[in-house]
Structure formats: structure tokens, C-alpha cells
Amino acid sequence: MSDNYLQNGLTQEEVKARIAEGKVNRTDDETSKSVKDIFLTNIFNLFNFINCLLAVIVFITGHYRNMLFIFVVIFNTAMGIIQELKAKRKLDRLRLLNEPHADVIRSQKGMIISGDDIVLDDLMVLSIGRQILADAIILEGSIEVNESLLTGEADNITKKIGDNLFAGSFVTSGHCLAKVNHVGADNYIHKIIKNAKKEKRQPSRLRDALNFIIKCITFIIFPLGLIIFLKQYYISGIPLNDALLQTTASTLGMIPEGLVLLTTIALTVGAVNLAKNSTLIQELYSLETLARVNVLCLDKTGTITSGKMKVIDLVEYQPFDHNVLANILTATGDQNATAQALRSYFKVEKPLSIDKTFPFSSQRKYSGGLYNSDLYQIGAYNYLDIRHDPMIEQDIDDKSRQGYRILTIARNDQPVALVIIEDELRTNAKETIAYFKKQGVDLKVISGDDPKTVANICQKAGVDHSDRYVDCQKIADEELKELILTHTVFGRVSPDQKMLMIETLKQSGHTTGMVGDGVNDVMALKSADFSISMFSASDSAKNIANVVLLDDDFAHMPAIVNEGRRVINNIQRTATLFLTKTVLSIFLTVITIFILKEYPYAPVQLTMLSSLCIGLPAFVLSLEPKYEVVEGNFLANVLAKAIPSALAIIGAIMLAELLVILGLLPYEKLSTVITLISGAVMIYNIYSIARPLTITRGMLIVIAVSGIAVSFLFFKDLFYFLDLDLTELLITFTLMALEIVFVKWLMKLNLSVYFAGRIDKYY
């Protein structure tokens, strides 16, 4: 390639020609749902299909009032579409801010463009921290890259002129110019994974539980619906239209029609709320993992401290040429905060031609260069290949204990000076640390700095046990696995050790969060259950992270954790309402097949109960604050409350049937009594999951009670209600009281532990 190309890059005409030919770095991969997909997934889904089929059956019977449920389906679908579209607009704007960018040279000018706008033959400028966004070949310079996202191997690989670079890898050291030789779907990474940004799908117990529920209902609903129809029409001798209506009621009750919708809305609203807090959630279901995090690992720089480095002193032991060092610092091209602070202090007075440079690497923890046979190194004292001096070591120890970051300057094998760097404590660091302590989240401060420096900063920030620090440079892997479980502050940590620590915590049963911003954090971010990055972080760290703090403010973490907990806690408690009806309908259908003559509900009665006692309360409660730690198995916790309520209603139905047999209750009034009792148990369900009561929660109960009462008193014909005399009302209220007592007793049995041990293996 000519020198002219290295200086000029592509012309604008050449760029336009390549875009016209489709030689641009874009694929069909979507970072979020398209508008078309939002409409399709909300309209054309299994539950909507079943509901429409049931509506057709009811229409055929001519009992049109039983088709009211279709208006609930239409409302739910419209709400889902509206909420997702609003969230998409908000989140897409934030993703645009956070999307990876590339430095390229075009028409003799350096410019920053979106990764999607790279074209074939573009000249990319690559430096430490940059993610490589398209396959390329090096034309000038050399770099070290990490290709772990492609190969799974964490080792840094040196790339020189003529070597190939692959999209999805990231630069850990050095500086180079590279020519793009593949774009879009032609990139190597697209041949092995579908998503170039993230290799793993966020694990989610919530998503797995919902999929498990849908799968079970899909297998159950059609066979049970067919069997109950055949039983009632052929065995019980019920007229065709009545058999169809009762089959519709049975099937309709099994569908938790609003559960998936409400889950999507709750997650989406959570993501939008965080967006208002300058926080970008890159995957909705990661909110669940965040809610369960009980160990948070973080670097002090940029989290506890501001990350703004400033050289405050230089301790010289031997004279050295400041201008040579300044030229070396400039030639390395390092752009991290430390390098920028050093260049601000050591300014180039006279440009020099440096023979060779060694850019900073998180593995070796130093940078340097060669000039006129003199080797200059600058970095952590213990990592430099130099003669050790007890006096200098004592000075380093003293300054480190004061919380300063200390770098050593060496010429050849002699330490010649210490650079004293200050990294200020964030003004809100103490409050943030105090929040995590109060919430029972264990903190692990993991840093590449001197452990004494880290410990001092942590002590100022209020981190517990910060005096018990570990120097990881002197620790074997097996010992480190034990120390990460008992200690809090770790210094001189290598990237491999960070990943080992995360893996050890996960193997010990902890749900881990990792906050990081540099290339040395990428492997740990990738290994953690939940990862957080700053907006100013390296491209590689941001693309791995589940959450990006767009204003680099770690003080948002309490709000982020609270939002995650709010969303999952509310989904869990509202799912109880939906699954109570589902479990009840499944049990009752089976009982009707084997014992009862007829299914006791009409479709319109279930629609009334679902709207007043499930749909409205679930929607309101899903948006309320609820910040307790999320514990246990999602589905087990839900079933532990849903099954007792369903069994109580089943018990009431069986007692009512017994009273009919004994002649104490007219058969034609059975449906009225059972519907009222079911409403009472469902209202108690609202009360049990909404405690302690607030004005809003109390209003939900008042609305449900009033709605059922108004339906019974003024809309008898619409809901198939019959008048009850004083004796029948007394029977109804007595059964209500008995079943609520039964529910309370069943809930005290702590069934969630029982269910958790038996359903984990199924999803």
C-alpha cells in the first residue's frame, strides 16, 4: 500500500462508491426489536391465537356477552405495543450514544465514525482500549490484542505489519494503522457467532420460568379442553352450545393472558426509568440478575475515586532527561488517565525520534521506550526489571499508605524517580458504599494499584475490613481462591486473576456483579453474572457490559439496584394473581372431567374476576416501589401462594356442590355462589401480596369489592347472576370465611421450599 494511502485514506468519493455497492460494515442484526417485530410479537402469539379461537366458538353459540374477554385481549395487546414503542424510542437514542465508534483517516483527515459506517478498505487508527469493529490487516505499527471473544483464550497476542486483525477482538497495548479487508457479514466473527457484541445470552430464571409456564400450558390446554367438551356433551348430555361455552370458560381460565405482557411492560418501564438516570440497560432480562447480586466487585479508579489523575510531586533520586521521557510518553500513544496525567506533567520541549516504544499493557503494568541505548521504563515498581533499593521501597510504602498512586521511573536498570499521583475520592463514595453495606451486598475492591494505596482509599470511603488487604502479585491461584472469600481489598491484580476471583465467587454460590472500565477488566466483566461499565470506558468494556453508566457516576448504583429489585419483586408478586386463576382452572377442569357434571363458571364471569381481581391490581402493583432483596426460586415462590388460593377456591366449590346434594343450595344458584366466593379469595390474594396497605393498594381492594358488588346487584343478566335469599347469602359468606382461613393456613406451610426442590430441574 502506498505512502499516499497511509496519509490520506479513502476519499469521500471512494467511500460513497463502496456504500452504493453495499461494502459497508452493517448486518441484519438488530440491537433492539424493530417496530415490525414489536407489532408482530404482541399481536401474533400463542395466547392471542387461543383467545381468538375461543371468541369464534362463543360467537358461533350466539352468547355474545361471553365475548367480553376479547376486549381485554385487545386492550392488553394495545398496551404492550404502546409501551414497547415508547421504550424503544428512548433506549435507541441512548444506544446511539453508546454504540462503538472507530477512528479512521479519510481525505487526509482523522475522523470518528460509527462502527456501522466503516467501509471496505477504510484506514483505521487503533490504540489501547479500542474494540476492533471490522476485520483488517496492519499496515503500520504494532499492537497487542485480546481475541478471547472469538477464541475463549485470554492471552494477549502481538500483531505486527502484515498480520490480520479480527472484529470482536480488542487492543490491549500499542498503536497501529490497519486497512479494513472485510465488513458486515463477511467478518470472521459472523461466521462463528450471530452477535458481534456479546457472546453470551444473559441467564434469567424469570425468562426460563415464563417459558416453562407457557410450555406446560401449551401441552395441557388443548387436550383438557377437548376432553371436557366430549365429557359434557356426550356423557353429561349438555346441549352443544352450553358444552361449548363451558369448554371456553375452562380454557379461558387456564390462560395467564396478561402475565407475559405485564412482565414485558415491567422490564421495559424499568429500563426507561434507568435511562432517565443516565443508565443504559443493554438487555432487559439482566435487570433480574442485577436484583439478585450479592457480591459486587469493583476497581477503585472511576468508582470509589473520580478517575481524574493528577501528578502532584516528583521525587528524583538521580538526574534524568525529562524531555526524553516526555517524547517516549507521546510516542507510546497510550490514552489512559494515567498516561494523560503524565503527559500533562512531562511536556515535550524538543521533538525526538524514539528508537522503540513499549506501550502500556495491563499484563506487564508498565510502558517505556528506547532512546540512544538508554531504556526508560515507567510503571509499578515491583513489575519493573530493575535493581531494588530499600530506601526507595520505604518511600513507596510511605506514600502508598497515604493513598497516593506511585509510579517508578527507571533508566536502564536503575530507578531514578518516583511520580506521586493523586486520584481524588468521589464526593458521594461514602454514601454509595454505605448503601451496599445496608443492603447486605458484599463488596470486593479489586485493583491493579499498590494494595496499600487501595486500602487507604477504601478506608476513607468506609469499606469494611479495608485494613486486611492482599497483594495479589505474591499470591498463587489456589491461595487466591480462598482469600477472595474472606478478604475485601486486593491490589496488584492481573486481568487473569480478576477473572479467577469472579469465577471462584460464582462457584461458591454467589451472584456476582463486576464494575470495570479498562481492557484489563474485560475478562472479569464477561465472566460476571452482571457487568457494569462507565461511558468513558474502553469500547471493549462497554460492549461486554450489561449496563453502561452514561455520565460515569457510580452514585447511580443504588438506584440501579433498587430498580432491578423493584421490577423483579413486582413481577413475582403479580404473577401470583395470574397463576392463581391458571392453577384453579386446570385443577377444576380435571375435577369436572371426573366428578362434576358441569364446569361451574361462565366465560363472562371469569372475565369479570380477571379484570377486577387480577388485571388491574397486577398492572398497578407492577409499577410500585418494592426494594427487598430478591431471594429464592421465582416459580416456586409464585406457586407457593397461587396453589393455596386455588385449592381454597376448589374446596369452596366442592363444599357448595355438597350443599346442593344435601338440598341446602339450589343447583341453578351454584355458579353465582362460586363466583362470589372466588372473588373473595382473589381479593384476599391481593391483600396478602400488597401488604402493608397504602392508599393506592387499599383502593385496589375497594375497587375489586365494589366491582363485584355492582356486577351482582345491577348487572345480573350480563354476568349470569341470580338473586340470593338470606340463607343463601349466609352460606356464601360462611364459605368465604372458611376458605380464607384455609388459605392462610396453607400459606404458613412454606410450600416454596417444597416446590423449589422439585421444579428446578425442569426449566
Side-chain angles (χ1 to χ4, degrees), residues 35-53:
V35 172
K36 177 183 176 183
D37 285 341
I38 289 173
F39 275 90
L40 290 178
T41 55
N42 278 279
I43 295 173
F44 299 102
N45 56 59
L46 175 65
F47 291 154
N48 279 2
F49 168 75
I50 296 173
N51 277 305
C52 289
L53 182 62

Side-chain angles (χ1 to χ4, degrees), residues 269-475:
V269 169
V272 171
N273 287 343
L274 289 176
K276 295 174 184 175
N277 229 356
S278 299
T279 302
L280 173 63
I281 290 284
Q282 307 218 67
E283 185 177 348
L284 286 181
Y285 278 99
S286 65
L287 274 171
E288 179 201 0
T289 311
L290 171 61
R292 297 179 182 274
V293 166
N294 56 21
V295 178
L296 184 64
C297 302
L298 51 121
D299 194 349
K300 73 169 181 62
T301 305
T303 52
I304 299 176
T305 62
S306 66
K308 298 175 182 177
M309 304 290 185
K310 181 181 179 182
V311 177
I312 62 169
D313 195 11
L314 180 70
V315 181
E316 286 196 60
Y317 301 104
Q318 295 181 23
F320 67 97
D321 192 329
H322 289 205
N323 185 56
V324 171
L325 182 64
N327 274 273
I328 290 174
L329 290 169
T330 300
T332 61
D334 291 335
Q335 296 299 319
N336 56 65
T338 305
Q340 292 174 11
L342 290 170
R343 280 198 292 272
S344 295
Y345 189 83
F346 295 101
K347 298 184 182 296
V348 174
E349 297 174 1
K350 177 184 177 183
L352 301 173
S353 178
I354 304 301
D355 301 324
K356 188 176 182 181
T357 59
F358 309 96
F360 177 81
S361 162
S362 56
Q363 292 282 353
R364 57 177 170 260
K365 297 191 183 299
Y366 69 87
S367 61
L370 192 64
Y371 179 75
N372 285 348
S373 300
D374 284 332
L375 174 64
Y376 283 81
Q377 301 174 72
I378 181 166
Y381 180 85
N382 292 336
Y383 285 85
L384 301 181
D385 185 17
I386 57 176
R387 295 181 183 177
H388 287 199
D389 185 321
M391 182 186 71
I392 294 176
E393 291 174 0
Q394 184 60 51
D395 288 346
I396 292 173
D397 187 70
D398 292 341
K399 293 292 184 182
S400 297
R401 291 183 186 278
Q402 296 174 42
Y404 296 117
R405 189 175 189 184
I406 313 300
L407 295 180
T408 303
I409 300 171
R411 186 181 60 228
N412 298 322
D413 62 350
Q414 295 290 333
V416 296
L418 297 180
V419 182
I420 316 301
I421 298 177
E422 182 180 54
D423 186 5
E424 62 184 4
L425 188 72
R426 282 188 180 272
T427 55
N428 43 28
K430 290 183 178 180
E431 290 79 3
T432 307
I433 298 300
Y435 164 82
F436 284 114
K437 283 198 290 187
K438 184 178 179 181
Q439 294 297 316
V441 177
D442 193 13
L443 291 179
K444 305 287 182 182
V445 183
I446 302 172
S447 175
D449 289 346
D450 188 297
K452 293 184 286 295
T453 302
V454 182
N456 182 279
I457 293 291
C458 289
Q459 193 168 17
K460 292 178 181 177
V463 177
D464 286 341
H465 311 300
S466 53
D467 56 325
R468 299 175 58 202
Y469 54 82
V470 178
D471 187 342
C472 291
Q473 187 184 13
K474 305 172 182 177
I475 300 296

Side-chain angles (χ1 to χ4, degrees), residues 114-132:
S114 166
D116 289 344
D117 293 334
I118 297 171
V119 299
L120 191 67
D121 299 326
D122 247 330
L123 184 61
M124 291 194 298
V125 182
L126 297 171
S127 57
I128 186 170
R130 284 295 193 187
Q131 180 139 3
I132 299 170

Side-chain angles (χ1 to χ4, degrees), residues 45 54 107 175 456 533 636 695 742:
N45 56 59
L54 295 176
S107 300
H175 180 92
N456 182 279
S533 177
I695 293 176
F742 184 46

Side-chain angles (χ1 to χ4, degrees), residues 563-704:
E563 189 63 28
R565 290 179 177 177
R566 185 194 67 78
V567 169
I568 303 306
N569 279 321
N570 285 337
I571 291 174
Q572 184 164 280
R573 67 179 179 174
T574 54
T576 300
L577 300 176
F578 287 102
L579 291 190
T580 294
K581 179 173 72 80
T582 298
V583 173
L584 164 64
S585 297
I586 292 171
F587 285 174
L588 188 55
T589 300
V590 173
I591 291 172
T592 302
I593 291 170
F594 291 102
I595 300 175
L596 303 180
K597 180 183 177 182
E598 298 182 41
Y599 193 80
Y601 297 106
V604 71
Q605 291 171 336
L606 286 175
T607 300
M608 182 264 294
L609 291 175
S610 295
S611 300
L612 293 172
C613 303
I614 298 175
L616 178 62
F619 181 77
V620 174
L621 292 174
S622 70
L623 302 178
E624 281 205 330
K626 188 172 174 63
Y627 303 135
E628 293 86 355
V629 176
V630 177
E631 295 178 342
N633 179 292
F634 172 83
L635 190 52
N637 291 343
V638 171
L639 290 177
K641 292 183 178 179
I643 289 180
S645 300
L647 289 177
I649 296 173
I650 292 290
I653 292 171
M654 300 308 291
L655 285 174
E657 289 277 357
L658 179 61
L659 293 176
V660 170
I661 295 171
L662 295 175
L664 299 175
L665 184 67
Y667 181 76
E668 63 271 15
K669 296 185 179 181
L670 179 63
S671 179
T672 300
V673 172
I674 287 173
T675 302
L676 294 176
I677 293 170
S678 301
V681 175
M682 289 181 179
I683 289 169
Y684 177 77
N685 233 4
I686 299 171
Y687 167 73
S688 67
I689 68 171
R691 288 179 295 180
L693 289 182
T694 61
I695 293 176
T696 301
R697 297 171 189 176
M699 285 301 298
L700 291 175
I701 294 175
V702 170
I703 290 170

Side-chain angles (χ1 to χ4, degrees), residues 36-296:
K36 177 183 176 183
D37 285 341
I38 289 173
F39 275 90
L40 290 178
T41 55
N42 278 279
I43 295 173
F44 299 102
N45 56 59
L46 175 65
F47 291 154
N48 279 2
F49 168 75
I50 296 173
N51 277 305
C52 289
L53 182 62
L54 295 176
V56 171
I57 293 173
V58 174
F59 182 81
I60 292 171
T61 68
H63 293 267
Y64 304 124
R65 56 182 156 170
N66 283 296
M67 292 181 63
L68 279 177
F69 68 88
I70 204 66
F71 293 104
V72 176
V73 174
I74 293 171
F75 176 78
N76 285 346
T77 300
M79 282 294 297
I81 291 171
I82 292 169
Q83 287 288 348
E84 286 203 60
L85 288 175
K86 286 172 63 179
K88 176 180 171 59
R89 285 195 294 270
K90 180 74 175 178
L91 297 176
D92 280 355
R93 284 197 293 269
L94 291 183
R95 287 192 179 98
L96 188 62
L97 291 175
N98 189 56
E99 71 176 6
H101 290 77
D103 293 309
V104 298
I105 297 175
R106 289 177 177 176
S107 300
Q108 301 182 359
K109 297 178 181 178
M111 59 180 64
I112 300 175
I113 63 171
S114 166
D116 289 344
D117 293 334
I118 297 171
V119 299
L120 191 67
D121 299 326
D122 247 330
L123 184 61
M124 291 194 298
V125 182
L126 297 171
S127 57
I128 186 170
R130 284 295 193 187
Q131 180 139 3
I132 299 170
L133 303 176
D135 292 353
I137 185 169
I138 295 181
L139 303 180
E140 185 177 276
S142 67
I143 57 175
E144 291 182 359
V145 299
N146 185 306
E147 296 180 347
S148 59
L149 297 184
L150 286 77
T151 65
E153 299 296 330
D155 295 335
N156 291 333
I157 302 170
T158 301
K159 299 281 188 174
K160 301 178 180 178
I161 293 175
D163 288 342
N164 288 312
L165 304 174
F166 299 105
S169 53
F170 55 90
V171 183
T172 59
S173 176
H175 180 92
C176 77
L177 296 177
K179 174 190 173 186
V180 174
N181 57 8
H182 293 122
V183 290
D186 292 332
N187 284 318
Y188 173 70
I189 194 170
H190 282 276
K191 298 175 183 178
I192 55 175
I193 56 176
K194 291 182 179 180
N195 189 340
K197 289 184 179 179
K198 296 177 84 73
E199 185 182 71
K200 65 176 183 179
R201 188 190 192 202
Q202 184 69 25
S204 169
R205 300 183 200 179
L206 173 60
R207 180 179 54 219
D208 293 343
L210 292 175
N211 289 339
F212 177 73
I213 292 168
I214 293 170
K215 187 192 303 182
C216 289
I217 292 172
T218 303
F219 280 113
I220 289 172
I221 196 167
F222 292 109
L224 283 183
L226 178 61
I227 293 170
I228 195 172
F229 169 76
L230 295 174
K231 188 261 185 181
Q232 294 191 118
Y233 182 62
Y234 288 105
I235 298 176
S236 298
I238 297 172
L240 177 62
N241 280 358
D242 290 343
L244 286 173
L245 278 178
Q246 291 180 24
T247 300
T248 299
S250 165
T251 307
L252 192 64
M254 296 183 210
I255 304 172
E257 62 271 358
L259 178 58
V260 175
L261 166 73
L262 207 64
T263 300
T264 302
I265 288 178
L267 290 170
T268 302
V269 169
V272 171
N273 287 343
L274 289 176
K276 295 174 184 175
N277 229 356
S278 299
T279 302
L280 173 63
I281 290 284
Q282 307 218 67
E283 185 177 348
L284 286 181
Y285 278 99
S286 65
L287 274 171
E288 179 201 0
T289 311
L290 171 61
R292 297 179 182 274
V293 166
N294 56 21
V295 178
L296 184 64

